[in-house]
Amino acid sequence: MSTAPTNHGWKFFRAGDFDQVSLETGADLIALDQLDQKLWVALACPTTGLCFDKRTLQLIDSDNDQRVRAPELIAAVQWASSLLKDPDELIRAPQALPLAAIDDGTQAGADILAAARQILALLGKPDTTAISAEDIADTTGVLAFTAFNGDGLITEDTTDDERLKALIRDIIAFEGGTVATDRSGKPGISRENLEHFMSAAEDYADWWQRSQSDPSLLPLGAATTEAAATLAAVKTKIDDYFTRCRLASFDVRAAAALNGEEKEYLRLSALPLSAASIDVAALPLARIAADQSLPLTQDLNPAWEAAVTRLHQHVITPLIGARSTLSAADWAKITTAFAALDAWQTDNPSDAMHALGIERVRAVLNRELKTALDHLITKDLAAAEHIAALETVEKLIRYCRDLHRLVCNFVNFRDFYHGDRKAIFQAGTLYIDQRSCELTLIAEDATKQNAMAGMAGTYLIYCNCVRRGSSEQRHIVAAITDGDSDNLMVGRNGVYYDRDGRDWDATITRIVDNPISLRQAFWAPYKKLVRLIEEQVAKRAAAAEASSNTKLENAAANAANADQTAPASAPRKIDVGTVAALGVAFGALLTALAAIAGYVSGLLKLPFWQLCLAIAALLLIISAPSLIIAWLKLRRRNLAPLMDACGWAVNARACLNVPFGARLTAIAHL
């Protein structure tokens, strides 16, 4: 942050009741680092929720924290101006950057100019004299034309050799989530991916070779793998059987419980059973008894008969010969014969390589293939410097087009206060209650909004916006700065148009009540009087209706009980005191009416212009207190808290005075 005196001559304009620096020339932009940041309107803004090019904001946001700060904006301006012959090009903000505007007198400028011309040549426009962001197409479109794009990644499209294509596919499948995306948008492999894959392939080949050199790993030769799978399918159940038999030998009382209690069989008898039933498979493999051998051909649990038969045929008979029962000792011999194989399989260095198969692994270990891929990666990395220049072209184009607009919504708020175009934080227009609201902001952080909104001193309505036929939602806050609030309430609907012209259904979810306009304040006393009269009339009418209903009920009751009603008493005589009181009241009323009539007749005798002045003075006397209070509150309306709640760091008290507020909210007029 610069606080040192500056030699640059600054101009200022006043808007929002505070002075703002005017940025009218390229020299003004270049000198931004000399402008005391206490004079900046904002010191930071978010990179989201703004009607501004998101890619440009990403490029300016050098630390990728999703916020643009003053030092980053200064650095962007100085970098862009150093590559232009005339810094006023930033003020002109061309949609397409003229190639002649690039300063090729420096090495950096010459590189960018050469890269821009190459891009245009790739796009088939070598004679074009200007390049736009659309030509760059976020760089990806251009880089898709080139096999080597400098990111150190190669894809299938990098080579025409089918063997190398297949190897690249294998490496991508093996590396999985660690594979990065190439600048062309396709998955690619790096040198690290290649080395890791080849190292894993060598480890797997060495591991597999152990099975060929160690006879103990293949007790049944080529049939060992199938036999091991057959054994694994029943090993846990057979271990369970012999363990139960050992427990029965340890204590004869355990045999009955280990075979399954009678109530368990009673429960199963009520179920529809089959050999594949889970309940049946949970029962012991065969009948449990002390030192019992496992029957192999009969008396087996139906759920396990097929698996035991396969074990008998493919494992037991080839290893120890055919038999009808299997003893615990024979079972131990079988499991011992496969123990070395189990340990070897546990040491498998890579399941992914196992899925490829040993033949494919041996094929990819061809040193020629690895050398060819390594050469392609080296060739891709060699283009890094050239590709970086291509990206710099995009950066310069976007900066020239967008930087001046950004500083006019950051260093000052010219776009907002001058009204020739909307500010970047204005998210659209809300139409509701016969008015349009132009000061509309994206309000996604409800916590910050709740904390800051009340400090703005502005009448705010928060709306939830949805697009019909889609799942899109948006939360906005709109400032009502003209009209009145008589018909604004939570639940009212309106239509919100975003800056792209899309329409959203908007529903008010919250209101922050504050004065809206002097017109509302002027008529407030009379509206209040009308409401009071309406309330009193309603109360009197309700009381009269209740009294009438009571009289009707009494009359009906008297008619129904006429034969039981006592004779009516004689009417009471009028009291003299009552008559006197009525006379006094009637006289006072006549006196008051006479006085009012005399005052009105006196006014009517005045000239017409004096009568108008008298009426205007009377109205002003009645409305003056309300107007004064409203004016004091309206002059305190402050945009800064509202924008701070949306992620900005506003550095000034950006006022919304009465005339400017009338511009931000338009009321329907015939």
Side-chain angles (χ1 to χ4, degrees):
M1 180 180 67
S2 174
T3 57
T6 172
N7 293 324
H8 184 74
W10 300 101
K11 295 180 180 179
F12 292 84
F13 65 93
R14 190 165 185 83
D17 293 339
F18 69 104
D19 294 321
Q20 304 180 42
V21 67
S22 180
L23 303 171
E24 300 175 349
T25 66
D28 292 334
L29 297 182
I30 294 174
L32 273 179
D33 63 325
Q34 303 175 40
L35 179 64
D36 189 344
Q37 288 186 19
K38 294 191 289 293
L39 298 175
W40 289 44
V41 176
L43 297 176
C45 74
T47 58
T48 57
L50 303 180
C51 297
F52 192 78
D53 190 276
K54 293 181 175 59
R55 175 61 177 162
T56 302
L57 291 174
Q58 290 172 358
L59 292 171
I60 298 173
D61 179 20
S62 57
D63 57 4
N64 297 317
D65 66 345
Q66 297 187 344
R67 288 179 67 77
V68 172
R69 294 180 172 82
E72 292 173 320
L73 185 57
I74 292 172
V77 169
Q78 292 183 340
W79 179 85
S81 61
S82 70
L83 296 170
L84 298 172
K85 294 177 180 177
D86 183 3
D88 282 346
E89 199 70 38
L90 297 174
I91 304 297
R92 288 188 282 271
Q95 289 298 311
L97 174 65
L99 299 184
I102 302 175
D103 184 8
D104 56 357
T106 65
Q107 184 61 47
D111 291 342
I112 291 176
L113 182 59
R117 285 173 173 161
Q118 183 182 24
I119 293 172
L120 293 172
L122 286 171
L123 296 174
K125 301 188 293 184
D127 298 328
T128 304
T129 59
I131 185 169
S132 67
E134 288 71 23
D135 292 328
I136 297 293
D138 205 15
T139 306
T140 303
V142 175
L143 296 179
F145 289 100
T146 60
F148 304 103
N149 49 37
D151 59 2
L153 302 174
I154 57 174
T155 68
E156 289 184 60
D157 298 336
T158 307
T159 177
D160 295 328
D161 190 325
E162 292 300 327
R163 296 181 306 159
L164 295 181
K165 286 178 178 287
L167 180 53
I168 291 172
R169 287 194 296 268
D170 289 339
I171 297 175
I172 291 173
F174 176 80
E175 293 292 294
T178 64
V179 172
T181 301
D182 182 75
R183 283 190 174 119
S184 63
K186 299 178 180 179
I189 63 169
S190 64
R191 179 167 283 124
E192 290 74 15
N193 296 139
L194 175 61
E195 294 294 341
H196 182 245
F197 177 84
M198 288 300 179
S199 176
E202 291 174 357
D203 292 342
Y204 182 81
D206 293 341
W207 170 79
W208 184 266
Q209 187 59 34
R210 283 170 49 195
S211 67
Q212 309 302 310
S213 58
D214 187 352
S216 66
L217 297 179
L218 301 173
L220 295 179
T224 300
T225 301
E226 182 181 356
T230 302
L231 176 64
V234 294
K235 185 176 184 302
T236 301
K237 198 65 179 178
I238 294 178
D239 286 340
D240 172 79
Y241 172 80
F242 283 115
T243 302
R244 288 172 182 263
C245 290
R246 290 176 61 191
L247 285 174
S249 177
F250 169 72
D251 191 334
V252 294
R253 295 175 297 175
L258 292 171
N259 275 297
E261 298 184 5
E262 183 178 356
K263 63 181 181 180
E264 180 64 18
Y265 288 101
L266 289 174
R267 185 183 69 82
L268 292 177
S269 66
L271 300 176
L273 300 177
S274 67
S277 172
I278 296 176
D279 294 308
V280 174
L283 294 173
L285 190 57
R287 189 176 63 83
I288 305 301
D291 298 324
Q292 178 79 11
S293 295
L294 174 66
L296 298 175
T297 57
Q298 58 185 4
D299 301 331
L300 286 167
N301 184 328
W304 294 93
E305 279 185 351
V308 172
T309 298
R310 287 194 297 272
L311 179 72
H312 190 195
Q313 294 174 351
H314 300 296
V315 179
I316 297 174
T317 298
L319 277 178
I320 58 176
R323 58 200 62 214
S324 59
T325 61
L326 180 68
S327 66
D330 289 338
W331 175 242
K333 291 179 182 178
I334 292 173
T335 55
T336 300
F338 284 88
L341 177 63
D342 291 340
W344 175 72
Q345 289 178 331
T346 302
D347 290 339
N348 180 4
S350 173
D351 291 334
M353 285 293 173
H354 193 68
L356 282 178
I358 186 59
E359 296 302 325
R360 177 57 183 162
V361 171
R362 286 171 176 165
V364 301
L365 284 175
N366 185 330
R367 301 298 299 178
E368 179 185 348
L369 296 179
K370 180 183 177 183
T371 301
L373 286 184
D374 192 76
H375 175 71
L376 292 177
I377 294 173
T378 300
K379 193 173 180 179
D380 188 89
L381 288 171
E385 184 177 350
H386 178 65
I387 297 301
L390 298 183
E391 292 181 333
T392 306
V393 174
E394 178 201 11
K395 188 175 178 180
L396 183 59
I397 293 170
R398 293 183 180 277
Y399 281 11
C400 285
R401 185 192 66 186
D402 299 332
L403 272 181
H404 185 241
R405 187 183 176 204
L406 182 59
V407 299
C408 289
N409 289 269
F410 195 110
V411 183
N412 60 38
F413 275 4
R414 191 203 69 175
D415 283 0
F416 179 62
Y417 283 107
H418 281 192
D420 52 344
R421 60 182 177 184
K422 288 185 177 181
I424 63 175
F425 51 79
Q426 291 178 266
T429 304
L430 175 67
Y431 285 82
I432 193 167
D433 190 31
Q434 290 191 311
R435 75 192 85 192
S436 62
C437 308
E438 299 293 340
L439 182 50
T440 303
L441 291 82
I442 302 297
E444 299 295 344
D445 193 332
T447 302
K448 285 187 177 180
Q449 291 292 334
N450 292 336
M452 302 295 294
M455 302 178 188
T458 308
Y459 191 98
L460 304 175
I461 57 174
Y462 287 84
C463 298
N464 182 42
C465 304
V466 297
R467 281 186 58 76
R468 193 177 300 275
S470 73
S471 59
E472 289 184 87
Q473 282 199 12
R474 180 176 292 184
H475 300 281
I476 64 170
V477 55
I480 307 296
T481 55
D482 200 8
D484 54 53
S485 59
D486 294 348
N487 293 317
L488 292 174
M489 61 202 74
V490 172
R492 283 213 67 182
N493 293 328
V495 176
Y496 161 67
Y497 294 91
D498 62 24
R499 293 284 289 273
D500 296 325
R502 300 183 303 168
D503 59 289
W504 304 64
D505 291 331
T507 303
I508 298 178
T509 58
R510 179 188 169 213
I511 292 177
V512 177
D513 195 5
N514 280 296
I516 294 179
S517 65
L518 292 177
R519 181 174 62 179
Q520 178 193 36
F522 181 86
W523 294 110
Y526 308 104
K527 291 182 178 180
K528 184 175 182 181
L529 176 61
V530 171
R531 284 196 297 269
L532 289 174
I533 293 173
E534 290 175 345
E535 291 173 1
Q536 292 301 319
V537 170
K539 289 180 181 179
R540 292 293 180 88
E545 183 182 16
S547 176
S548 176
N549 291 337
T550 302
K551 289 179 180 180
L552 289 174
E553 291 174 0
N554 291 337
N558 290 336
N561 301 312
D563 57 335
Q564 303 176 7
T565 304
S569 59
R572 296 179 59 187
K573 296 181 179 180
I574 298 177
D575 184 65
V576 177
T578 303
V579 174
L582 289 173
V584 172
F586 185 69
L589 180 60
L590 289 177
T591 302
L593 290 175
I596 293 173
Y599 180 74
V600 171
S601 63
L603 287 177
L604 293 176
K605 293 178 182 179
L606 294 174
F608 179 74
W609 66 273
Q610 291 182 358
L611 178 62
C612 292
L613 284 178
I615 295 173
L618 179 62
L619 293 176
L620 186 60
I621 291 171
I622 296 172
S623 299
S626 177
L627 282 171
I628 293 172
I629 293 172
W631 180 78
L632 291 173
K633 290 184 177 180
L634 288 174
R635 66 188 299 270
R636 292 201 301 266
R637 289 189 303 194
N638 186 1
L639 179 62
L642 191 59
M643 293 187 62
D644 286 345
C646 296
W648 285 71
V650 178
N651 194 35
R653 186 175 181 272
C655 295
L656 303 173
N657 57 34
V658 175
F660 185 62
R663 285 170 46 194
L664 293 174
T665 300
I667 301 175
H669 293 289
L670 296 181

